[in-house]
Amino acid sequence: MTDRAGAAEFTGRSEHTIAIQTSPKRRAEGSGWPAPVPGEDGVLLYPLDDLAAAIEGIAEASRARVHSITLDGDPDELIPALEFRALIDAKASTWSKYVDMSKAAWERGEDGYLPRPDLEEPAPKRGIIRSWKRQRVELWINSRPGRGAGAGPPVRTEETGPTAAKYRRVMAAIRKDISEGVFAPGQRLPSEATLGTRYAVSLTTVRRALTELHHEGVLSRGSAGTVVAPNAPPHSG
């Protein structure tokens, strides 16, 4: 469970949005958001698992509205950024935002919000000229959430919200600590507060990481607290 501020961080929404979407009226209209539970001193608490299900439902609804196109020509032909941007009807400022959202992943050799360029060359004066294969551009557009080619960034889920990188880093750090013997199979983990200090993140981020690792079978829960599962899957990087 988490409070409204934690629910906002977890889902990537504002506290105002959380209050509206979880209100009796919106839930009666089918918002799909969970009902808050009264906690101590009248503080409303929200179940993390139900919040995750609500966000996934929103993402599924968005994926069902995918815009589909077919690009004629050689699938391996390179398309410059200007043509790519025109295909999704994005303004220059919007395109720059998409590039900024993707750079960190590109530097890791992965696709970001935009697919990783197939070719990067220095521009004649300054900057970088990026190009993508036609087939990868088509695949990206046809897999992109939204109502049309000019749709904005995808719905923020637990995979893409502001806490995504944080909780994934914590998951990776815990897996690494297990693989290195810092936490042994069957050993009880430190408190959430201690883990938050260890990994320099909020309690909400720690809880999300622990929940995901529990679902993956890396951790288990019992009367003694959260422990490393006896048969925890090995860390795969």
Side-chain angles (χ1 to χ4, degrees):
M1 306 284 276
T2 187
D3 59 15
R4 185 176 294 168
E9 180 183 358
F10 176 68
T11 62
R13 269 67 174 173
S14 68
E15 291 188 41
H16 179 66
T17 297
I18 298 298
I20 291 176
Q21 295 297 344
T22 60
S23 67
K25 179 181 178 181
R26 284 298 178 88
R27 285 188 289 106
E29 294 173 348
S31 72
W33 289 71
V37 178
E40 295 182 4
D41 301 323
V43 175
L44 295 178
L45 300 176
Y46 301 82
L48 287 173
D49 286 347
D50 290 348
L51 285 172
I55 293 300
E56 180 57 27
I58 293 171
E60 284 294 333
S62 181
R63 284 193 285 268
R65 298 192 300 267
V66 165
H67 176 74
S68 180
I69 67 168
T70 299
L71 299 180
D72 296 327
D74 182 353
D76 291 327
E77 179 186 358
L78 292 174
I79 291 179
L82 187 62
E83 184 176 345
F84 194 162
R85 178 162 69 86
L87 286 168
I88 61 174
D89 192 26
K91 297 179 180 178
S93 59
T94 301
W95 177 262
S96 295
K97 180 175 67 175
Y98 293 170
V99 170
D100 288 341
M101 291 165 59
S102 305
K103 283 182 178 178
W106 291 349
E107 290 174 358
R108 298 193 302 268
E110 305 170 356
D111 288 341
Y113 175 67
L114 292 171
R116 186 185 182 199
D118 293 294
L119 178 66
E120 289 187 323
E121 300 176 304
K125 293 184 178 180
R126 63 177 183 176
I128 298 175
I129 297 176
R130 299 183 176 92
S131 302
W132 292 259
K133 290 183 179 180
R134 184 183 299 274
Q135 62 183 352
R136 296 188 65 227
V137 171
E138 179 179 319
L139 176 62
W140 181 84
I141 293 176
N142 290 344
S143 302
R144 184 187 187 200
R147 295 183 180 277
V155 171
R156 292 186 295 179
T157 68
E158 66 272 18
E159 299 296 323
T160 58
T163 61
K166 292 182 181 179
Y167 91 77
R168 285 186 172 279
R169 284 199 300 269
V170 173
M171 290 174 66
I174 292 175
R175 290 195 194 97
K176 184 173 183 290
D177 283 343
I178 292 173
S179 69
E180 294 180 349
V182 177
F183 303 133
Q187 178 181 341
R188 178 181 177 180
L189 292 186
S191 68
E192 292 177 351
T194 300
L195 291 173
T197 301
R198 178 181 178 84
Y199 302 122
V201 295
S202 69
L203 287 178
T204 299
T205 301
V206 169
R207 288 167 186 158
R208 181 57 182 163
L210 295 180
T211 296
E212 289 297 319
L213 290 172
H214 169 69
H215 290 327
E216 291 182 4
V218 176
L219 304 176
S220 61
R221 293 172 180 158
S223 58
T226 299
V227 301
V228 180
N231 58 342
H235 177 53
S236 60

